[in-house]
Amino acid sequence: MKPATFDYVAPRTVAEAVEALGDPGREAQVLAGGQSLILEMHLQRSRPELVVDINRIPELDRMSVEDGELRVGALIRHAAFEAADAVPGPLGTLLSRAVVNIAHPPIRSRGTMAGSFGWAHPASEWCAVGVALDATVEVTGPEGPRALAARDYFLGPYRTARGPRELITAVRMPLLGEHTGVGFIEHRRTHFCFAQVAVAAALTVHDGVIGDARIGLVNSADRPVRARAAERTLLGAEFGPLPAGRRLPDTHPFARAGRVAAQEDAVPVAEPYADVAYKRQAVAVLVGRTLREAATDLRARLAAPEGDHR
Ligand SMILES: Cc1cc2nc3c(=O)[nH]c(=O)nc-3n(C[C@H](O)[C@H](O)[C@H](O)COP(=O)(O)OP(=O)(O)OC[C@H]3O[C@@H](n4cnc5c(N)ncnc54)[C@H](O)[C@@H]3O)c2cc1C
């Protein structure tokens, strides 16, 4: 199919983009990487009257570290995070482990992190990482700029708290401290499918005890989920040696957290190849494995020579 007829503008500044989006008489869509929007337009599931192409706005093509946070401008492509040292510390490791699960290289070279937040697909890796880390979505519209917490931003599949005339200018994520280990594991049918379930985790340990745990669930509900009930079971747990063998004993805190995430945090939606029971089982197993990966990452980080904490 071909897209329905639409008008096209390519503003050079954020102010011009906001002005174009601000016309209440026309349904407008922002074009960033186009890796979701163009497909939807071809299928005519999306029929914007106006496409606002933001690719010629240099101020959106910037990534920086400010006040302990990574600020990712709206034109930063997925591929920018593939190298683990693109972003400092454990956050860089987490982003690099997550990004390789997004589609394949041509899509990663065009698609943007902010576009994933704009699209708000329940299987988006970035959106679950954002919810787990308490990311902030910066938007600006006719009423001016505002900052939305990721926990309040996602309202359901493709539905967010962003207004239809607001542009995402950046996504901010906290840099994670040296005593934090990270993991990301995804389960999907074939290499290029969206995740059936995936898990992002960050564990922070002080004096041999887990002081903070962050777990984000991908495609385990109608929106990205922070597994708070599972996180609570980990707080204060001893950060002991990991058991030998691939399978965690049922009594291990990571296995227990997995079961709690599956039963109390996940609200799975059935898909053709994954019913609700299957997804709950996948959440239970993947949460345990991802926490284990985070613990292994932290051990390696703590054992690394001073100044080499990647
Ligand atoms: C074959 C295939 C496989 C894929 N697999 C995955 C996957 O495994 N995981 C995954 O997460 N994604 C996947 N995607 C989607 C891809 O990651 C997209 O890049 C992403 O969803 C959107 O980014 P984009 O920059 O391409 O946005 P676009 O396609 O340009 O826009 C998507 C939507 O977000 C809105 N939008 C974009 N930027 C902004 C902004 N700055 N402000 C306001 N609204 C904005 C647009 O208006 C539109 O509604 C896949 C896509 C394809 C085609």
Side-chain angles (χ1 to χ4, degrees):
M1 275 163 79
K2 290 201 165 125
T5 309
F6 60 91
D7 290 334
Y8 171 90
V9 289
R12 304 291 171 139
T13 65
V14 167
E16 284 174 21
V18 168
E19 192 184 336
L21 287 169
D23 178 352
R26 287 203 289 185
E27 197 221 306
Q29 286 280 340
V30 173
L31 174 68
Q35 300 303 300
S36 296
L37 179 64
I38 298 296
L39 178 66
E40 292 299 303
M41 287 173 64
H42 274 276
L43 295 172
Q44 295 207 5
R45 290 193 296 228
S46 180
R47 299 167 61 102
E49 295 161 277
L50 175 66
V51 169
V52 180
D53 181 348
I54 60 171
N55 284 277
R56 293 181 199 162
I57 305 180
E59 63 197 281
L60 296 178
D61 201 5
R62 288 182 196 142
M63 181 155 69
S64 58
V65 171
E66 296 164 22
D67 301 328
E69 287 186 313
L70 175 71
R71 185 175 184 280
V72 181
L75 281 178
I76 301 298
R77 315 287 164 178
H78 303 313
F81 304 97
E82 286 180 15
D85 59 0
V87 171
L91 180 61
T93 308
L94 178 58
L95 298 180
S96 68
R97 288 187 188 179
V99 70
V100 290
N101 295 286
I102 300 176
H104 43 79
I107 289 173
R108 295 202 291 269
S109 73
R110 290 299 304 164
T112 61
M113 179 186 278
S116 294
F117 279 77
W119 188 233
H121 193 293
S124 159
E125 289 81 1
W126 287 148
C127 297
V129 169
V131 165
L133 300 189
D134 274 334
T136 303
V137 184
E138 289 181 14
V139 301
T140 189
E143 312 299 322
R146 61 188 183 125
L148 300 167
R151 66 176 167 275
D152 304 322
Y153 177 79
F154 297 102
L155 303 180
Y158 317 110
R159 289 199 307 119
T160 73
R162 177 177 61 85
R165 279 181 274 286
E166 284 181 316
L167 173 75
I168 300 172
T169 48
V171 175
R172 298 200 313 262
M173 293 191 184
L175 295 175
L176 299 166
E178 271 181 16
H179 294 269
T180 301
V182 294
F184 190 98
I185 300 182
E186 178 154 315
H187 177 62
R188 58 190 160 201
R189 281 184 61 233
T190 69
H191 190 66
F192 296 136
C193 286
F194 278 81
Q196 282 184 327
V197 169
V199 178
L203 278 182
T204 304
V205 171
H206 289 292
D207 300 325
V209 167
I210 296 174
D212 189 34
R214 289 160 178 273
I215 303 171
L217 305 181
V218 177
N219 211 16
S220 307
D222 69 352
R223 65 196 78 178
V225 169
R226 181 155 176 200
R228 289 185 183 274
E231 291 174 2
R232 279 195 293 275
T233 69
L234 294 164
L235 299 183
E238 190 189 336
F239 185 63
L242 289 166
R246 190 169 145 77
R247 195 184 142 90
L248 288 166
D250 287 346
T251 52
H252 193 279
F254 296 168
R256 192 175 61 225
R259 290 195 299 276
V260 170
Q263 291 307 320
E264 298 183 31
D265 295 308
V267 190
V269 178
E271 293 173 33
Y273 295 98
D275 64 16
V276 168
Y278 180 88
K279 281 197 171 187
R280 280 198 202 283
Q281 178 64 12
V283 169
V285 172
L286 287 201
V287 166
R289 283 188 193 164
T290 312
L291 289 168
R292 183 183 189 133
E293 184 178 294
T296 304
D297 177 60
L298 179 55
R299 284 188 192 290
R301 213 171 277 285
L302 295 176
E306 196 65 27
D308 183 16
H309 285 300
R310 179 152 298 285

